Amino acid sequence: MGEKITGAVVVIGGGIGAIQASLDLAASGYRVYLVEKKPSIGGVMAQLDKTFPTNDCSMCIMSPKLVEVGRHPNIELWTMTDVLAVRGEKGAFEVDARRRARYVDVEKCIACGLCAEKCPKKVDDVFNGRLIKRKAAYVQYPQAVPLKYVLDQDNCLYFQKGKCRACEKFCPAGAINFDDRDRNVTLKAGAVILAPGFTPYSPSLQGFYGYGDTPEVMTSLEFERLLSASGPTLGHLLRLSDQKEPRQMAWLQCVGSRGIHQGDNSYCSSVCCMYAIKQAIIAKEHSPHELDCSIFFMDMRTHGKGFEQCYQEARDKHGVKFIRCRVHSVIPSPTGDGRRIVYADEDGQLREEDYDLVVLSVGLTVNQETRDLAARLGLNLTAGHFAQVSSFDPVAASRPGIYVCGAFAGPKDIPQTVIEAGAAALRAGADLVQVRDTLTVKASHVPEENVAGQAPRIGVFVCHCGINIGGVVDVPGVRDYAATLPFVEYVADNLYSCSQDTQDSLTRIIREKGLNRIVVAACTPRTHEPLFQETLSKAGLNKYLFEMVNIRNQDSWVHKDQPEEATTKARDLIRMAVARVALQVPLKEEQLNIDQKALVVGGGISGLAAARALSSQGYAVHLVEREEVLGGQARHLLTTARGDNVPRELAALIRKVETDPLITRHLKTRLTAVDGFVGNFRTTVVADGQSQTLDHGVAIIATGAREHRPMEYLYGQDPRILTGLELDDRMKADSVGLAGVRSAVFIQCVGSREPERPYCSRICCGHTVSAALHLLELNPAMRITVLYRDMRTYGKREDLYRRCREKGVIFIRYDLERKPVVQVSEDELTVTVTDHVLGRPIALKADLLVLASAVVPYRDEELAQFFKVPMNQDGFFAEAHVKLGPSEFASQGVFLCGLAHYPKPIDESIAQAQAAASRAVTLLAQKTINTSGAVAYVDTVRCTGCGVCVSICPYNAPGLIAEGPRAGRAEVNPVLCKGCGSCVSSCRSNAAQLRGFEQSQIMAMIGSAWPAAQ
């Protein structure tokens, strides 16, 4: 590492991975230069309609992060910037970049849009899949950050022909600058994170699908824009060729993925199956009539958390048809309307079906520009052009000090991208821990206006949310109605209330109009309330003088077929919110010190990685493990999918933990109690009958999971029948004996994807193909057969699947209704299964039977209760947000990783452990934290001292006063209170109240709703 370390990080890319990494780094005490080649950040996620299985509007959940990045004092946005070279070494890099001319002064541009309105030149809109045109003066999308226009030099008439300049003439801010020029800059940084994202595969290379010949065949990303409220048809499902509503739609899977032909990619792109299911369900919701949806697939790879359930619901509840085949061709329909799909069904019969619209589920690729960048940076790439990393250091590129995340490290979905972004931020921060906070600045503090004694002056802002709300609710009518309500001084409606320009406008209007209370009617406060509260703070208002009304999830979405009733409900909800906010008063937040130690519960590979990640940032860690040895389930594994030697790497990791002076190990130890709250936890542990109290500011749950012990296939009745982990143990202990095995059979999905365990265990297929290849190394003549339901070798594991087939491994599919049957004789095992090709039962003789058994959670309800964290119906811990908060809980200060979250392989477990540590560091680095202002208090005049509140509070916030004139009465410690309201609801004398939710405010809401109910 260089002698002088720079406390800044360059993050290259503008998608969700780059955004998350930047936010984590900035919150952890580092300056960030976010370098994006496009005019704004957001990446592909900005082009999506909704995310599944959460059913969230993609831009709605992403906008708060975009706005946060745009206004964070320690994140510099360098859009329209190309990285040319990275010189130097870890700790002291110099990043040479070229900032291309925008021809619009971002300081002057007010995003009024007049330049685009007056521009005469129309060009293909790449952001909208080239389905429509945009102007040469443009902004990428309505919620873009920065929301500043740009002139397209390649298409602008002035640059092409030396005339026009209409944009300059009509710009009211004088922001157009035709003298702007490209300029070279050098950014100094201690680490670099590469998150350039991906490019969708172009199906034009496969001409037999007819892509490019007709608008009736489109890519999946183009269809996302068709569904989007800000897309070409404003979210209306129309066929662009004739503006007709389709009645039959088809999705073709694996376009450009899992292929060996010219132009194909051999790997699985991981995300296509799930997004096709999502699109089919949403298309049905958008269609005003019954829509026939068919998905043509080879293997349905719904291996993510909650994905298998979505697959089942799509088929059984929504009526989506799933046709297992590989489509032969897509040709014009003889009727002259739509396209005809020719395919062979599972019985080998040639079939033809007509569809109005065909969607090609295209895969993820690394474009040539990114490959060239990797070459300039000196990074090693895999055969598929992804960054080369190892299983035990999953985000570290081949050049020290450079880290990767997202699709550039391999095809993956949004949650795994967010996880890797946190891991990359953690690794980069660990390199620079000596210079933390040396280049950061504190956010400017806006003095809070004292509104005490002022009459309420309420502003109401109603959001269209594209057509998510505006397509059902009469937003202008609701806005005008709000203007008639008492104390309302200002009303407005916005296309997207969460966009950066609306937030800036909200700040300005509060000041100009003298507003002292705000109501925003938009989407869910779960994701957006903090965004608006911060905006209020920047405007000088107490953030609790705010009320958010959910007229999307709780109104337009659930009443989409009843627009009049939905509009009436929106009026009712806003009237109730206005009645409540008029009685709101400013609330005070207490400041607490954060204990700088961390607790990691679980000593498996995730817990070990999390402990090491935290210690690398300089924090002391208590590592608690219930067993007498460290390592967890990884102790049974032989190799990873990448071929890494697990026993060797695990031993090295354990040695690092054991010799780390900042990590205190507690073996054969269990938790018995947890008190306190974020920043100040106190956990009681017991070992060998002795109890000990551990103080810590944050906690990471990494308790792992276990392998299911089957009750079928004669498991336990014959030593030749093993589970997957037992096979690995035997391969480590008796490779010579296994070399003598003549035939082996693997059965997949043992205990998974069944009614009692409906989820996919994710790791089984990859483990099976790895094990099969290892057995073939021991004995190349061994006959190996794999019985499967869907081979889910996602991502680069597909190459292992292909190698198995090339080496002669036979794969036979079976149905859940016709499981294999195992019989045992003294000399051999016989496995009988119905072959899906022959349609007849076949008997397989085997010397070895391996059961790919499910990953089963521990269902530690006691631990969940200790930390007040939830579990899902399958028994895995439930994260704060499936997409954007996969490594944290809704309970502040508690994080999770590894198998306790969901089944995952070693590389993903370690990445999530590092991501959980990164999220924890964002808290620890603050050193102080504000409590909530919404806390309980007790009116001691009314209090009878019954003590019910003391006994019922889960946080020990209330207590009885010991001395003085109020002795025996209850009082609440606001530092300990979390605002759950248990004491308020249980108080017999109505003495306990919750600030922000006081009886007068609740009754005002009820009173304002009552006339509507009549």
Side-chain angles (χ1 to χ4, degrees):
M1 184 177 289
E3 295 181 2
K4 187 176 181 181
I5 303 174
T6 304
V9 179
V10 169
V11 179
I12 303 172
I16 187 61
I19 290 168
Q20 186 63 57
S22 299
L23 290 173
D24 275 10
L25 284 163
S28 300
Y30 304 102
R31 187 148 198 86
V32 178
Y33 303 109
L34 180 53
V35 179
E36 167 59 274
K37 62 185 179 183
K38 295 178 181 177
S40 57
I41 60 174
V44 172
M45 192 170 171
Q47 295 176 271
L48 304 183
D49 176 47
K50 288 183 181 179
T51 62
F52 257 48
T54 57
N55 200 34
D56 284 317
C57 169
S58 180
M59 278 308 304
C60 284
I61 63 174
M62 193 172 169
S63 280
K65 288 186 179 290
L66 291 174
V67 175
E68 187 179 357
V69 167
R71 65 187 181 189
H72 201 292
N74 291 312
I75 299 177
E76 287 188 29
L77 285 182
W78 290 74
T79 54
M80 297 190 67
T81 303
D82 302 312
V83 174
L84 304 177
V86 175
R87 296 177 283 114
E89 60 181 358
K90 182 169 72 171
F93 287 117
E94 291 186 342
V95 180
D96 296 329
R98 177 178 293 118
R99 196 165 200 178
R100 286 175 279 115
R102 194 180 194 101
Y103 303 108
V104 174
D105 188 328
V106 295
E107 298 298 326
K108 294 181 179 179
C109 178
I110 59 175
C112 64
L114 272 175
C115 58
E117 181 182 331
K118 301 300 182 180
C119 177
K121 183 61 181 291
K122 293 183 177 181
V123 298
D124 287 340
D125 187 350
V126 177
F127 183 85
N128 278 297
R130 303 182 187 274
L131 301 177
I132 56 172
K133 302 287 186 179
R134 63 159 169 81
K135 298 294 187 69
Y138 72 102
V139 66
Q140 275 193 291
Y141 57 99
Q143 300 113 304
V145 173
L147 192 64
K148 306 294 181 181
Y149 277 74
V150 60
L151 301 188
D152 183 348
Q153 183 182 13
D154 295 334
N155 291 285
C156 174
L157 290 178
Y158 173 73
F159 289 109
Q160 299 302 309
K161 300 182 179 180
K163 59 182 181 181
C164 186
R165 298 179 75 132
C167 53
E168 183 182 49
K169 183 189 305 182
F170 288 100
C171 178
I176 305 299
N177 177 19
F178 284 106
D179 295 326
D180 196 7
R181 294 293 180 268
D182 296 354
R183 59 190 179 94
N184 293 334
V185 295
T186 298
L187 304 174
K188 294 185 177 181
V192 175
I193 293 177
L194 197 54
F198 68 91
T199 296
Y201 175 83
S202 175
S204 58
L205 297 172
Q206 297 192 7
F208 55 84
Y209 284 140
Y211 177 76
D213 298 334
T214 170
E216 293 158 0
V217 179
M218 58 174 43
T219 69
S220 44
L221 193 57
E222 291 167 353
F223 188 66
E224 287 283 347
R225 298 312 302 153
L226 205 65
L227 291 174
S228 175
S230 60
T233 60
L234 301 179
H236 298 293
L237 186 57
L238 299 174
R239 195 168 62 175
L240 294 179
S241 60
D242 54 13
Q243 300 298 301
K244 289 183 178 179
E245 295 170 343
R247 292 183 176 273
Q248 294 87 26
M249 287 188 61
W251 280 258
L252 310 190
Q253 300 307 104
C254 300
V255 177
S257 302
R258 300 185 66 188
I260 57 175
H261 302 291
Q262 184 177 4
D264 281 348
N265 297 301
S266 63
Y267 54 82
C268 164
S269 290
S270 298
V271 301
C272 317
C273 287
M274 193 58 209
Y275 74 55
I277 293 173
K278 175 199 77 168
Q279 289 179 347
I281 293 175
I282 295 175
K284 280 178 165 286
E285 293 175 350
H286 280 236
S287 179
H289 48 69
E290 187 65 28
L291 182 64
D292 187 333
C293 294
S294 299
I295 297 178
F296 293 82
F297 72 103
M298 293 191 296
D299 292 289
M300 190 48 57
R301 292 185 170 174
T302 49
H303 49 271
K305 191 173 186 179
F307 290 2
E308 180 70 13
Q309 289 90 326
C310 282
Y311 171 31
Q312 302 299 333
E313 286 184 12
R315 185 185 61 194
D316 301 334
K317 178 181 176 182
H318 297 283
V320 177
K321 299 175 184 176
F322 291 87
I323 303 172
R324 192 186 296 267
C325 72
R326 191 72 186 252
V327 170
H328 175 269
S329 56
V330 179
I331 59 177
S333 172
T335 65
D337 186 21
R339 311 302 284 182
R340 173 161 292 184
I341 293 179
V342 182
Y343 67 98
D345 64 17
E346 292 187 82
D347 297 327
Q349 299 296 314
L350 192 66
R351 297 193 179 276
E352 298 179 352
E353 300 286 347
D354 289 343
Y355 294 92
D356 298 322
L357 200 59
V358 176
V359 180
L360 307 181
S361 295
V362 295
L364 283 53
T365 66
V366 178
N367 62 29
Q368 189 61 50
E369 188 177 353
T370 300
R371 297 182 216 171
D372 294 342
L373 175 62
R376 293 197 298 273
L377 270 57
L379 304 185
N380 296 334
L381 301 182
T382 66
H385 309 296
F386 298 104
Q388 191 174 82
V389 296
S390 71
S391 298
F392 283 80
D393 202 353
V395 296
S398 55
R399 182 176 174 183
I402 297 182
Y403 303 96
V404 297
C405 65
F408 181 51
K412 57 182 61 68
D413 57 8
I414 294 171
Q416 190 59 31
T417 296
V418 172
I419 285 170
E420 286 186 1
L426 185 283
R427 295 286 281 112
D431 292 345
L432 315 179
V433 68
Q434 304 169 44
V435 290
R436 175 183 284 147
D437 282 324
T438 56
L439 295 179
T440 55
V441 296
K442 292 190 178 295
S444 58
H445 175 69
V446 179
E448 186 176 300
E449 181 184 353
N450 183 5
V451 301
Q454 294 182 9
R457 293 181 57 83
I458 301 172
V460 178
F461 299 83
V462 187
C463 184
H464 288 260
C465 197
I467 63 165
N468 280 304
I469 296 171
V472 178
V473 174
D474 177 9
V475 171
V478 171
R479 174 204 61 200
D480 295 341
Y481 172 77
T484 68
L485 298 174
F487 304 114
V488 173
E489 299 293 331
Y490 182 85
V491 296
D493 62 302
N494 312 102
L495 183 62
Y496 293 101
S497 295
C498 56
S499 65
Q500 187 178 33
D501 65 319
T502 304
Q503 296 300 302
D504 295 340
S505 174
L506 180 57
T507 302
R508 175 178 51 80
I509 290 170
I510 289 172
R511 291 170 176 164
E512 290 178 356
K513 303 296 181 181
L515 304 179
N516 56 25
R517 285 163 181 81
I518 300 297
V519 172
V520 173
C523 52
T524 172
R526 179 187 175 198
T527 54
H528 285 63
E529 187 175 55
L531 171 68
F532 289 104
Q533 286 184 328
E534 185 178 351
T535 298
L536 258 67
S537 297
K538 289 183 178 295
L541 274 185
N542 184 280
K543 73 178 190 179
Y544 293 98
L545 298 173
F546 171 75
E547 183 74 8
M548 191 164 183
V549 183
N550 189 344
I551 60 170
R552 186 193 68 177
N553 306 50
Q554 298 175 0
D555 190 16
S556 64
W557 278 2
V558 293
H559 306 299
K560 63 184 180 67
D561 298 323
Q562 302 166 290
E564 291 186 10
E565 291 84 350
T567 299
T568 300
K569 183 175 180 179
R571 293 194 189 103
D572 294 344
L573 292 172
I574 290 174
R575 184 175 64 252
M576 294 166 69
V578 167
R580 180 186 174 196
V581 82
L583 299 177
Q584 289 280 34
V585 296
L587 302 182
K588 181 183 177 182
E589 296 182 341
E590 301 289 339
Q591 192 175 78
L592 301 173
N593 292 326
I594 297 178
D595 191 304
Q596 296 292 287
K597 295 185 291 297
L599 173 73
V600 176
V601 185
I605 204 159
S606 298
L608 294 169
R612 279 286 295 164
L614 288 164
S615 71
S616 71
Q617 294 272 2
Y619 298 106
V621 182
H622 290 288
L623 178 60
V624 176
E625 167 57 42
R626 57 179 162 239
E627 303 291 339
E628 58 185 356
V629 294
L630 298 171
Q633 299 296 339
R635 296 198 311 268
H636 302 287
L637 296 174
L638 178 63
T639 64
T640 67
R642 287 189 174 92
D644 299 289
N645 186 300
V646 175
R648 183 181 66 238
E649 297 291 344
L650 179 61
L653 179 58
I654 291 174
R655 281 196 302 271
K656 290 177 182 178
V657 168
E658 291 176 337
T659 57
D660 193 321
L662 289 176
I663 301 176
T664 303
R665 291 167 294 120
H666 304 268
L667 302 181
K668 294 184 66 177
T669 303
R670 61 185 180 89
L671 277 67
T672 58
V674 177
D675 297 314
F677 46 90
V678 55
N680 294 271
F681 290 106
R682 173 161 289 187
T683 297
T684 303
V685 298
V686 173
D688 297 325
Q690 301 293 317
S691 65
Q692 181 182 1
T693 300
L694 308 177
D695 294 325
H696 53 99
V698 297
I700 295 178
I701 293 178
T703 48
R706 62 180 176 83
E707 186 181 47
H708 171 61
R709 289 292 176 260
M711 301 294 290
E712 55 186 335
Y713 301 123
L714 303 183
Y715 175 77
Q717 301 179 32
D718 191 288
R720 295 168 292 184
I721 303 176
L722 309 174
T723 65
L725 288 185
E726 289 170 346
L727 174 63
D728 272 29
D729 282 331
R730 186 167 168 185
M731 286 192 292
K732 288 188 292 183
D734 185 23
S735 59
V736 175
L738 284 174
V741 172
R742 295 166 300 174
S743 60
V745 174
F746 290 79
I747 301 179
Q748 301 305 107
C749 295
V750 178
S752 297
R753 302 178 64 196
E754 298 195 356
E756 62 271 23
R757 255 173 247 99
Y759 56 88
C760 167
S761 289
R762 191 176 179 95
I763 61 176
C764 318
C765 290
H767 182 268
T768 289
V769 292
S770 294
L773 289 172
H774 188 72
L775 288 175
L776 287 174
E777 290 176 5
L778 297 176
N779 180 2
M782 189 183 303
R783 300 189 309 275
I784 300 178
T785 305
V786 177
L787 311 182
Y788 71 100
R789 291 172 59 193
D790 287 284
M791 284 304 298
R792 294 183 170 178
T793 46
Y794 62 93
K796 291 175 284 186
R797 291 164 180 81
E798 178 70 13
D799 292 332
L800 300 179
Y801 179 29
R802 189 185 67 256
R803 283 173 54 196
C804 279
R805 299 198 308 270
E806 291 172 350
K807 289 180 178 293
V809 177
I810 302 300
F811 291 84
I812 300 175
R813 188 170 54 81
Y814 73 90
D815 297 324
L816 184 60
E817 296 75 20
R818 294 186 291 181
K819 286 185 176 183
V821 176
V822 179
Q823 295 174 305
V824 177
S825 67
E826 185 175 336
D827 298 327
E828 59 189 2
L829 299 170
T830 301
V831 182
T832 303
V833 63
T834 299
D835 185 280
H836 65 282
V837 176
L838 300 176
R840 298 177 59 184
I842 58 173
L844 304 169
K845 305 298 182 183
D847 298 328
L848 182 68
L849 175 60
V850 184
L851 307 180
S853 196
V855 177
V856 180
Y858 288 116
R859 286 190 178 271
D860 195 338
E861 295 181 359
E862 185 179 47
L863 183 65
Q865 183 59 37
F866 284 158
F867 285 104
K868 311 298 185 299
V869 295
M871 291 188 296
N872 67 12
Q873 60 186 5
D874 297 322
F876 295 102
F877 286 104
E879 62 274 55
H881 193 281
V882 172
K883 298 296 183 183
L884 301 185
S887 303
E888 55 197 295
F889 287 107
S891 297
Q892 202 174 7
V894 190
F895 308 89
L896 83 160
C897 60
L899 299 182
H901 166 251
Y902 190 68
K904 53 180 64 68
I906 283 178
D907 54 347
E908 295 179 18
S909 293
I910 291 177
Q912 192 176 23
Q914 294 172 340
S918 179
R919 300 301 299 144
V921 168
T922 63
L923 277 175
L924 296 173
Q926 296 178 33
K927 295 188 171 61
T928 61
I929 191 172
N930 288 345
T931 64
S932 171
V935 295
Y937 69 95
V938 175
D939 181 352
T940 54
V941 175
R942 291 185 174 185
C943 179
T944 61
C946 67
V948 170
C949 58
V950 177
S951 63
I952 202 171
C953 179
Y955 303 99
N956 299 320
L960 298 179
I961 303 172
E963 300 176 351
R966 296 184 298 159
R969 311 284 176 87
E971 67 176 355
V972 176
N973 183 341
V975 172
L976 296 178
C977 181
K978 302 299 290 182
C980 70
S982 297
C983 58
V984 179
S985 60
S986 62
C987 182
R988 301 168 182 174
S989 56
N990 204 29
Q993 293 289 321
L994 185 61
R995 300 190 190 280
F997 297 87
E998 303 202 28
Q999 183 172 321
S1000 59
Q1001 297 163 354
I1002 301 301
M1003 294 307 296
M1005 293 184 75
I1006 295 173
S1008 66
W1010 183 253
Q1014 299 297 309

